[in-house]
Amino acid sequence: MENPFYPCKPKNQFLIPFFKPKIPNYLPSKISHQAQNLIAASSEAETPLPLPPQTRKPGDRQLLRLFRAGKLQEAVSALDSGTPITTRTYLSLLQACIDSDSVEAGRLLHSSFPSVKDPNPFVETKLVSMYAKCGDLDNARKVFEQMRQKNLFTWSAMIGGCGRENRWEEVVDLFHRMVLEGVNPDAFLLPKILQACANIEDVVTGRLLHSLTIRLGFLGESHVGNSILNLYAKCGDLILANKIFDKLNVKDRVTWNSIISAHCHCGQNDDALKLFEQMRNEGIEPSLITWNILISSYNQCGKPLIALELMKKMENCGIIPDVFTWTCIISGLSQNNKINQSLDLFREMCTSEVEPNNMTVACAISSCATLKYLKNGRELHGYAVKNGGVTNLLVINSLVDLYSKCWKLEDAERIFNVIDKKDVFTWNSMIGGYMQAGYCGKAHELFLRMETLGFRRNVVTWNVMISGYIQNKEEEQAIEHFQKMEVIGIRKNAASWNALISGFLHNGDANKAFRVFRQMQLGSEKSNSITILSILPSCANLVSAWKVKEIHAYVLRSDYISWNSMIAGCVLHGCSHAAQELLHRMKLEGVKLNQSTYTSMIRAYGLDELVNDGKELFMNLIDQNFSLGMEFYAAMVELFGRSKRLMEAYNMIKEMPMAPGFTVWNELLTAARFCGNVKLASLATENLISLEPKNPIIQCLSSSLQAICGNSNMKKPLKESKEYDFYSCCWMEDRHQVYTIFTNDKTVESASSYKLVEFSRIAKEIKTNKSDTRLDIEEELEDDDEVHCERKAIMFSLVRRPSSKVIRIIKNVRMCTKCHGTAKLVSRLYGRDILIKDRKCLHYFTNGKCSCKDYW
């Protein structure tokens, strides 16, 4: 009799007579104790005793009636007594378990397997299928492994179950076992195995499947051909993917999606876009998936604006963007430094018919964290609470990151402490927050707690600790953690080295930064563009010319010299016209401009007092929703300050979308000092002290300012205070040896005593010609009998190297007015070029003029 559950007449292999099996020992592991007792009892009794009529269980018809009435649990429970059941009824009940996703009922039904009359391989296969489709892959595997004979349907059920659980390696392993046992896949199973090979990029097994497909004659099946195409696409073999595409007689939407995805996967977005247009020309309209493939690819390659244009075209074609489309572009804009634009797009999404998901909200909060937009971040926090997103770890992590970066550590701690299931990102964000606020001890406690609670600290965790320690001037702790990484098996990456290099540069120690850079070159980790962009500015602080040449040679070998570095170098030397010419060439060659380019251009406009040009550039960037950082706003303050438009500078600071940082307030102080505005200088100094209360340079500025204001409550002079342990110094090179000269060093003065008389005359001339507007507030105090270190260095150079045409000096604080004037006069009287790099800028003195144009 033909089995009604087979889609067609069974093949000969299914007609082999089967003996009636004993009770199988692969019964489910999770069934009730009562059911196990009933099974054991039924197996021990040779002849079942007749039950009383009132307790007799229903037969097949009764079971089917219960099943059709939707009473599955009641029907399955009726099998507990061991009443015989036909194969057809048993299969119907198993299918009902699958349809209702009731694995518990399926386990109970499995325990009644001994009651099935004349079971065949299809019943066992159905058991495997039931467990696999209901998510109990362990019991499915148990039944599968103990089957004496497995047919194509059995292998398909097990492979399908593993595929649904994304256990791709097991799928490939099952395929190899299947072939060894003489069973070939059919056209329905092949795509599942090909998908597994694609997901784990197993191109070897993929080629075997490709060959098998040809031998079995399935290549003409569109879904099989599409799967082979997808395999080669995901494995990065674009040549084979194109060959398969060309050979396919029928190309449906899936085929086009696969070949477009293949080109996107290999970074050939322009070719993918051409295929997209070709697809439309051939009468196949792209689906939402097709559009999303292109949008996602352009975002990943750093072109979110093209992705945004594609979304607009998609809407014009009548296809409504889904949550993936919106989230993809919002994330892409944020990751490509167009953070304001990403937030604007999020607001637009909220007014559309598509509701943001947790990923979207997390991206928006992260954007607020980057810009330190606390107010907007709090609004998003409220939105997440309203929509239940605060239970999502992605959202929670982004909130911890937001409050940590915005200096709201109490809020960050409160959220951190209520998270039950933290991940490594949660810990890293909180540690980073403590480090940013200067709480190194708390950060270290959290760092140790991670290990105690069993969280594996990854390389990012260690990098956060290293970066935090060195930025808080805890250099020994930073180096200790850096060295400990390899001891415990954490491999340093480029970011680990970059943290040390940028940290030493931040602390004003270019020589240490250079030594770390050299060690990096000797190791296995190669430098990246961030390393080079970090080390290049230090060249201006290196006294030794051969070290600068060494870095220059490395940059040339690595092909890293950038337009931005050239433009910034021109601005540094006061060559504004050369900087503008480079910008023009940069645009002609189609090079993408970034925030560093625009910041340098604002400074170039400031050198020539082209305020209107700078304001126009600023407004254009605002209109383009370009994300502007702290350095850009500092450049705008300098632009206004050089032209003595001080109130415009102050108004810009008040209207900044984020809290002004150290660089912005320092630039306002420079502008106020230049314009002689005591009130704004005091305001800037107060804010600088609040940001870095232990900075001795800021303390000295404050003391100088209080003296000018005639404050009777002024503290005692810093040099008499125990707090003052800071002395200005400078470095200069003579015959390949670097000398360090301190302001209180009398050795240089005695060696150059005959120059002191001449320098005294120069100092008197400077005092006579001193500007009336500049505030006389300095970053270092000078007694009447003291000479600042850079003047000593100039004297030392004139004595030791009278024939030298160039004097190079590096200083750790900003030059004072008297020293600046001295250098100008020496360059004119002695015909020497003098380069002095101080904390503020590079001063290039030649023929009585300075590249800073007296603004420093």
Side-chain angles (χ1 to χ4, degrees), residues 196-249:
C197 293
N199 288 335
I200 61 174
E201 297 186 8
D202 185 353
V203 73
V204 176
T205 305
R207 288 194 180 111
L208 174 64
L209 284 161
H210 186 183
S211 175
L212 188 63
T213 301
I214 295 171
R215 285 194 285 114
L216 295 174
F218 293 141
L219 194 58
E221 301 283 346
S222 62
H223 58 289
V224 178
N226 290 340
S227 298
I228 295 173
L229 173 58
N230 181 61
L231 163 76
Y232 290 125
K234 286 195 173 180
C235 292
D237 194 335
L238 199 56
I239 296 174
L240 271 176
N242 282 324
K243 286 182 179 179
I244 296 295
F245 178 77
D246 293 336
K247 287 181 180 179
L248 292 176
N249 296 325

Side-chain angles (χ1 to χ4, degrees), residues 71 85 105 124 171 200 241 270 297 299 342 362 482 499 506 538 540 546 552 574-575 577 591 636 678 687 718 815:
K71 299 178 180 179
I85 181 174
E124 294 172 301
V171 170
I200 61 174
D270 293 339
S297 182
N299 272 320
S342 75
F482 182 79
H506 179 265
S538 72
W546 66 267
H552 187 192
C575 304
H577 295 293
V591 181
M636 287 298 297
V678 176
N687 281 281
L718 283 172
M815 290 185 74

Side-chain angles (χ1 to χ4, degrees), residues 67-264:
F67 158 61
R68 287 164 186 159
K71 299 178 180 179
L72 173 63
Q73 193 66 38
E74 195 174 331
V76 172
S77 300
L79 298 172
D80 283 354
S81 65
T83 304
I85 181 174
T86 64
T87 301
R88 179 174 182 174
T89 304
Y90 193 77
L91 290 172
S92 298
L93 292 172
L94 282 173
Q95 185 59 48
C97 293
I98 295 172
D99 294 340
S100 61
D101 194 25
S102 178
V103 72
E104 287 299 329
R107 290 190 186 115
L108 191 59
L109 190 60
H110 183 192
S111 67
S112 302
F113 183 82
S115 302
V116 180
K117 297 177 182 177
D118 302 321
N120 56 40
F122 195 72
V123 176
E124 294 172 301
T125 299
K126 197 70 173 178
L127 270 173
V128 174
S129 180
M130 182 274 296
Y131 278 126
K133 290 181 179 179
C134 290
D136 188 350
L137 211 55
D138 292 337
N139 267 324
R141 194 71 181 237
K142 188 176 180 182
V143 175
F144 174 81
E145 294 297 347
Q146 297 200 19
M147 286 178 65
R148 297 191 177 185
Q149 186 172 355
K150 303 177 183 71
N151 55 39
L152 176 60
F153 295 102
T154 314
W155 290 101
S156 297
M158 196 65 232
I159 288 172
C162 291
R164 277 187 291 275
E165 296 291 326
N166 297 332
R167 289 156 76 160
W168 308 116
E169 289 85 357
E170 291 184 42
V171 170
V172 175
D173 178 62
L174 285 166
F175 162 69
H176 286 292
R177 286 179 56 191
M178 172 183 176
V179 174
L180 287 174
E181 292 190 21
V183 182
N184 287 326
D186 61 4
F188 296 99
L189 184 57
L190 273 168
K192 296 178 182 177
I193 307 169
L194 284 163
Q195 182 189 7
C197 293
N199 288 335
I200 61 174
E201 297 186 8
D202 185 353
V203 73
V204 176
T205 305
R207 288 194 180 111
L208 174 64
L209 284 161
H210 186 183
S211 175
L212 188 63
T213 301
I214 295 171
R215 285 194 285 114
L216 295 174
F218 293 141
L219 194 58
E221 301 283 346
S222 62
H223 58 289
V224 178
N226 290 340
S227 298
I228 295 173
L229 173 58
N230 181 61
L231 163 76
Y232 290 125
K234 286 195 173 180
C235 292
D237 194 335
L238 199 56
I239 296 174
L240 271 176
N242 282 324
K243 286 182 179 179
I244 296 295
F245 178 77
D246 293 336
K247 287 181 180 179
L248 292 176
N249 296 325
V250 178
K251 297 181 179 69
D252 57 13
R253 188 177 283 114
V254 177
T255 316
W256 285 99
N257 286 351
S258 297
I259 194 64
I260 290 170
S261 178
H263 283 80
C264 289

Side-chain angles (χ1 to χ4, degrees), residues 624-740:
Q624 295 171 24
N625 290 312
F626 194 87
S627 300
L628 303 175
M630 205 68 71
E631 288 295 331
F632 187 88
Y633 282 99
M636 287 298 297
V637 174
E638 179 183 335
L639 172 75
F640 291 122
R642 283 184 179 272
S643 298
K644 297 190 175 182
R645 296 164 71 161
L646 205 54
M647 289 314 297
E648 288 185 66
Y650 179 55
N651 290 334
M652 169 157 283
I653 293 175
K654 290 195 294 184
E655 293 172 3
M656 282 176 63
M658 75 280 281
F662 188 92
T663 53
V664 175
W665 288 116
N666 192 43
E667 203 60 64
L668 182 65
L669 175 61
T670 302
R673 181 174 177 257
F674 179 70
C675 299
N677 190 310
V678 176
K679 184 178 179 181
L680 284 181
S682 300
L683 176 67
T685 306
E686 288 172 9
N687 281 281
L688 288 170
I689 289 174
S690 68
L691 291 171
E692 294 191 11
K694 295 182 180 180
N695 190 325
I697 296 174
I698 306 303
Q699 291 177 4
C700 190
L701 282 169
S702 178
S703 295
S704 299
L705 192 60
Q706 289 173 13
I708 290 174
C709 297
N711 190 342
S712 59
N713 297 321
M714 185 179 69
K715 295 191 299 183
K716 63 181 179 180
L718 283 172
K719 285 196 175 182
E720 298 175 13
S721 170
K722 293 181 180 179
E723 299 174 11
Y724 192 87
D725 58 354
F726 170 81
Y727 290 94
S728 66
C729 65
C730 63
W731 299 267
M732 63 172 295
E733 185 186 25
D734 179 51
R735 296 181 179 91
H736 301 294
Q737 183 175 351
V738 175
Y739 291 89
T740 303

Side-chain angles (χ1 to χ4, degrees), residues 435-591:
M435 281 299 191
Q436 177 185 274
Y439 298 131
C440 298
K442 284 192 173 184
H444 186 65
E445 287 177 13
L446 216 57
F447 180 75
L448 295 177
R449 233 171 86 200
M450 278 186 77
E451 187 178 31
T452 305
L453 296 175
F455 285 91
R456 179 170 172 78
R457 298 173 297 197
N458 61 12
V459 67
V460 177
T461 319
W462 287 86
N463 290 348
V464 169
M465 292 295 292
I466 293 166
S467 178
Y469 273 127
I470 201 162
Q471 287 178 9
N472 285 287
K473 296 181 172 55
E474 299 279 353
E475 292 184 3
E476 290 183 4
Q477 289 289 342
I479 293 170
E480 181 184 336
H481 279 71
F482 182 79
Q483 293 172 342
K484 196 183 290 184
M485 287 176 72
E486 286 188 359
V487 177
I488 65 168
I490 300 291
R491 186 177 181 274
K492 301 184 187 80
N493 59 14
S496 313
W497 293 91
N498 293 344
L500 275 185
I501 292 170
S502 61
F504 283 128
L505 292 173
H506 179 265
N507 294 340
D509 200 330
N511 287 317
K512 283 184 180 179
F514 183 70
R515 282 199 293 271
V516 174
F517 174 71
R518 181 176 286 171
Q519 289 174 11
M520 185 180 185
Q521 307 318 306
L522 297 173
S524 58
E525 191 64 43
K526 298 302 178 185
S527 59
N528 56 19
S529 58
I530 297 174
T531 319
I532 301 302
L533 292 174
S534 297
I535 203 72
L536 273 177
S538 72
C539 294
N541 293 329
L542 286 175
V543 180
S544 179
W546 66 267
K547 286 184 179 180
V548 176
K549 290 177 181 178
E550 185 178 337
I551 294 174
H552 187 192
Y554 178 83
V555 169
L556 289 174
R557 288 197 306 272
S558 306
D559 195 25
Y560 278 137
I561 282 190
S562 68
W563 288 94
N564 287 343
S565 298
M566 294 294 293
I567 293 172
C570 290
V571 173
L572 190 66
H573 284 265
C575 304
S576 58
H577 295 293
Q580 293 178 48
E581 176 61 29
L582 280 170
L583 178 70
H584 180 66
R585 285 174 54 192
M586 192 176 177
K587 289 179 178 177
L588 288 177
E589 295 191 19
V591 181

